Amino acid sequence: MTRVLAVSDEVVEHLWTQQVRQLDVDLVLGAGDLPFDYLEYLSSALDRPCVFVPGNHDADLSGYANVRGLWTKAGMPARWPGPAGGVNADGAVVDVAGLRIAGLGGSIRYNPGPNQWTERQQARRARRTTRLAGWRRLRDGQGVDVLLTHSPPKDCGDREDAPHRGFDCLHEMVRRLRPRVLLHGHIHPHGEPTPDRDLAGTRVVNVVGYKVFEFGSTGSPRQVRHGS
């Protein structure tokens, strides 16, 4: 059994205290648009790894490379602006705490800011990440447990205003990867219910605020706690 704390978009004040240790989780997942020092605190206080994808209000993390503990950008030493110790899963496939996580950060492009993509750009990134997951599955037989995104799939928990439209390409990504769950942020509830949705057999969950899940060996994870 793997317990996961998933967070996104809204800082939960009581989690930014020692109370967070009561959650007793194995992994922190960040779905974007949170202060990086908040993610650092959660990971440090819980003494657990943190895997995240950037949101449209986060810093641009592209172009950085970590070589033997030294961060570089364009071949020059640089200070990585992301959370210390965090694993950026944007466009990647990572194995942490017994789970395989594929990530795709960012939102639909609506202004010149970072971590925003046109549908065509995001579809290209989604295909590349799907291929990475496919190669990994051919090598060891393990599929993707979690598809971690900032934005939801189009018409699956998104909104009609331009900044909050979901990505259509996530539908094909889900059909090909068949993850056990898709966790996303970006859509603030504003007091409205955010029911889980089903997409081609995958459970789609809005984790704005926080939610805690228990992953068994198979099947969809069980949600055991939530809040904002």
Side-chain angles (χ1 to χ4, degrees):
M1 185 75 68
T2 302
R3 284 175 63 97
V4 172
L5 168 63
V7 293
S8 184
D9 288 81
E10 297 177 2
V11 170
V12 180
E13 290 188 7
H14 74 265
L15 295 187
W16 212 336
T17 71
Q18 294 300 309
Q19 292 182 47
V20 72
R21 293 182 174 176
Q22 299 173 9
L23 295 180
D24 189 26
V25 298
D26 303 294
L27 172 66
V28 178
L29 294 179
D33 282 356
L34 285 170
F36 288 150
D37 54 351
Y38 178 66
L39 293 180
E40 289 177 13
Y41 177 81
L42 296 177
S43 180
S44 176
L46 292 164
D47 193 24
R48 294 294 184 264
C50 174
V51 176
F52 73 99
V53 294
N56 53 296
H57 294 298
D58 288 326
D60 184 2
L61 301 178
S62 61
Y64 290 86
N66 190 319
V67 180
R68 298 175 184 172
L70 175 66
W71 284 102
T72 64
K73 186 171 186 179
M76 299 296 293
R79 181 185 181 278
W80 190 54
V87 177
N88 183 6
D90 186 24
V93 181
V94 299
D95 295 331
V96 182
L99 299 177
R100 177 156 293 174
I101 303 153
L104 204 66
S107 75
I108 198 78
R109 178 164 294 282
Y110 63 93
N111 68 31
N115 305 316
Q116 297 179 39
W117 310 95
T118 66
E119 179 65 44
R120 177 177 290 185
Q121 289 171 331
Q122 190 75 315
R124 186 162 52 245
R125 286 165 24 91
R127 288 193 295 270
R128 184 167 59 246
T129 307
T130 300
R131 287 195 297 270
L132 288 174
W135 293 332
R136 297 280 283 274
R137 184 165 191 163
L138 283 174
R139 188 174 63 190
D140 61 16
Q142 182 178 345
V144 170
D145 297 294
V146 180
L147 177 54
L148 181 65
T149 69
H150 180 59
S151 293
K154 190 174 185 299
D155 299 325
C156 192
D158 60 348
R159 297 261 169 82
E160 294 184 359
D161 61 305
H164 295 101
R165 286 186 290 116
F167 284 110
D168 188 62
C169 62
L170 291 177
H171 288 253
E172 179 64 18
M173 196 175 188
V174 166
R175 282 193 290 268
R176 294 186 62 184
L177 293 182
R178 293 182 292 174
R180 296 164 65 181
V181 65
L182 185 157
L183 305 180
H184 72 85
H186 194 51
I187 308 301
H188 295 256
H190 298 303
E192 299 178 3
T194 56
D196 296 352
R197 291 169 167 82
D198 179 87
L199 180 60
T202 290
R203 183 175 162 201
V204 178
V205 185
N206 183 334
V207 297
V208 169
Y210 82 96
K211 292 185 177 179
V212 177
F213 301 91
E214 288 184 345
F215 284 79
S217 57
T218 60
S220 181
R222 182 172 72 94
Q223 183 180 312
V224 296
R225 193 163 176 175
H226 66 91
S228 60

